[in-house]
Amino acid sequence: MMGVQVIQSSVFLTVNVTVRNDGTEKINTDSSFFKLISSNGAEYSPSTIIVADDKYFTYEGINPGLALTGNVVFEVPPGLVGLNLQVQTGFWGTETGIINLN
């Protein structure tokens, strides 16, 4: 008798983020401004899944004094732990920061 083995090759990890504009001018944000970095140095870019609701980051502007909350989705191997979220400012990423995800 032959058995069937199903191997899960990836999972989708959803990270809920809030970006607040404390400046004096409009800023823009997009899911591409985020990256997951694992403890072994592997880097994961956001998935380009198509969504039908407004709970996901798309290219949007945020006026001063306002915030935008949304989800960024990453396709990663199952069981991945020890992740950090790298965030950047603008498309050129001249400034970045790291947030530890527990």
Side-chain angles (χ1 to χ4, degrees):
M1 185 177 274
M2 185 180 251
V4 176
Q5 181 180 9
V6 177
I7 299 174
Q8 185 176 8
S9 62
S10 66
V11 296
F12 289 96
L13 177 64
T14 302
V15 180
N16 185 265
V17 296
T18 298
V19 176
R20 185 179 66 224
N21 182 355
D22 289 334
T24 59
E25 297 179 7
K26 179 180 174 180
I27 62 171
N28 293 308
T29 188
D30 185 71
S31 63
S32 66
F33 292 11
F34 302 92
K35 183 186 302 185
L36 278 183
I37 302 174
S38 70
S39 58
N40 70 358
E43 297 182 357
Y44 300 91
S45 296
S47 175
T48 56
I49 64 169
I50 298 173
V51 295
D53 61 30
D54 61 354
K55 294 179 182 158
Y56 295 87
F57 265 100
T58 55
Y59 185 75
E60 292 191 44
I62 305 170
N63 285 318
L66 299 177
L68 179 66
T69 298
N71 295 322
V72 182
V73 179
F74 297 89
E75 185 176 13
V76 299
L80 191 63
V81 295
L83 296 172
N84 290 309
L85 181 66
Q86 177 181 304
V87 298
Q88 73 179 41
T89 58
F91 285 108
W92 313 118
T94 54
E95 294 180 28
T96 60
I98 299 289
I99 300 168
N100 182 272
L101 301 177
N102 291 326

